[in-house]
Amino acid sequence: MKVIIKENYEVMSDWAAQHIADAINNHKENRPFVLGLPTGSSPLGVYKKLVEMNKEGKVSFKNVVTFNMDEYVGLPKEHDQSYWYFMHDNFFNHIDIPKENINMLDGMTDDLEGECLRYEEKIASYGGIDLFLGGCGVDGHIAFNEPFTSLSSRTGVRVLTKNTLMVNARFFENDINKVPKTALSVGVGTVCDSKQVLLLISGESKSRALRHCVSGGVDHAWTVSALQMHPDGIIACDEEACGELKVEIYKYFKEVYKDEK
């Protein structure tokens, strides 16, 4: 596992965006580059930078296929808090990706389990995901894989915990009753099947999650810790998120990856 420590959120985001652009530009296989994407506040800086790079001609998404991590159940895509809306508003509408290359889970389907199975099958049909970008919650969950979700889980229906509902209530007029209680989400196993996983962890509130991810044991109480088992896992974090790392661990990653471009 690589841990790339940057001064602040902006520098971390710029580094991650450049890493993704380089991966797309260096893709030589005779098939599209397959990119997994998250929602939430963590990737906003990355999306902003990638949009800039696309407009400047530094990266193109014409040969990129995307799969998003999750979507609320029962929220129409036109709703301003759906993840379909979020992704188009913050990213897809501003880059040159073909619409048919965008894949998102349908939380309005009458067959939720079937939708999840089809999603896994479609990922497999492209040969898997080349790079999965992700974030994590303060409790160390990745996508909607709450604490104690199986680390081998696949795409499926997830019941959201009260803690997640409370955190997300700020997007629903601070009314927890308006937050959807279930979501569709890729599994921890789905993410870890990707050739490379890049997690964004920033801010003091995520310092405990970063500690568990980097130096705790692999534990389904912290689903993000599954990254320890990945052969090409990368964490991009900022200084604020490093507050709970042991000094020797912090110094190790700062030294070993100080020149990582």
Side-chain angles (χ1 to χ4, degrees), residues 51-70:
V51 168
E52 291 176 3
M53 296 176 75
N54 180 239
K55 293 185 182 302
E56 293 168 357
K58 295 178 180 178
V59 65
S60 173
F61 295 88
K62 290 182 179 179
N63 194 40
V64 174
V65 170
T66 63
F67 286 89
N68 260 78
M69 278 189 162
D70 40 30

Side-chain angles (χ1 to χ4, degrees), residues 33-34 70 90 93-94 115 122 164 170 202 207 212 218 228 245 251-252 255 260-261:
F33 184 87
V34 185
D70 40 30
N90 289 289
N93 288 345
H94 311 289
E115 171 70 5
K122 192 165 187 181
T164 295
R170 68 189 190 276
S202 64
S207 59
H212 278 275
V218 177
Q228 293 182 30
L245 292 182
K251 287 184 175 179
Y252 169 80
E255 178 183 355
E260 189 76 23
K261 302 297 183 183

Side-chain angles (χ1 to χ4, degrees), residues 151-250:
L151 300 186
S152 61
S153 57
R154 313 306 303 185
T155 304
V157 182
R158 304 288 191 263
V159 176
L160 307 187
T161 64
K162 185 176 181 180
N163 181 63
T164 295
L165 297 177
M166 291 174 62
V167 169
N168 289 353
R170 68 189 190 276
F171 302 118
F172 293 85
E173 301 174 359
N174 290 312
D175 186 349
I176 194 172
N177 296 310
K178 293 183 179 180
V179 185
K181 304 302 186 290
T182 54
L184 302 183
S185 173
V186 296
V188 181
T190 311
V191 174
C192 288
D193 275 353
S194 306
K195 295 178 180 66
Q196 185 175 79
V197 180
L198 171 58
L199 289 187
L200 307 171
I201 303 180
S202 64
E204 185 179 356
S205 65
K206 304 286 181 70
S207 59
R208 191 176 178 210
L210 179 61
R211 171 171 61 84
H212 278 275
C213 182
V214 172
S215 59
V218 177
D219 184 354
H220 65 172
W222 298 84
T223 53
V224 72
S225 69
L227 193 64
Q228 293 182 30
M229 300 184 293
H230 197 280
D232 195 4
I234 304 172
I235 295 173
C237 61
D238 60 10
E239 291 283 355
E240 285 190 355
C242 295
E244 291 199 18
L245 292 182
K246 290 183 178 180
V247 173
E248 61 267 30
I249 294 173
Y250 172 84

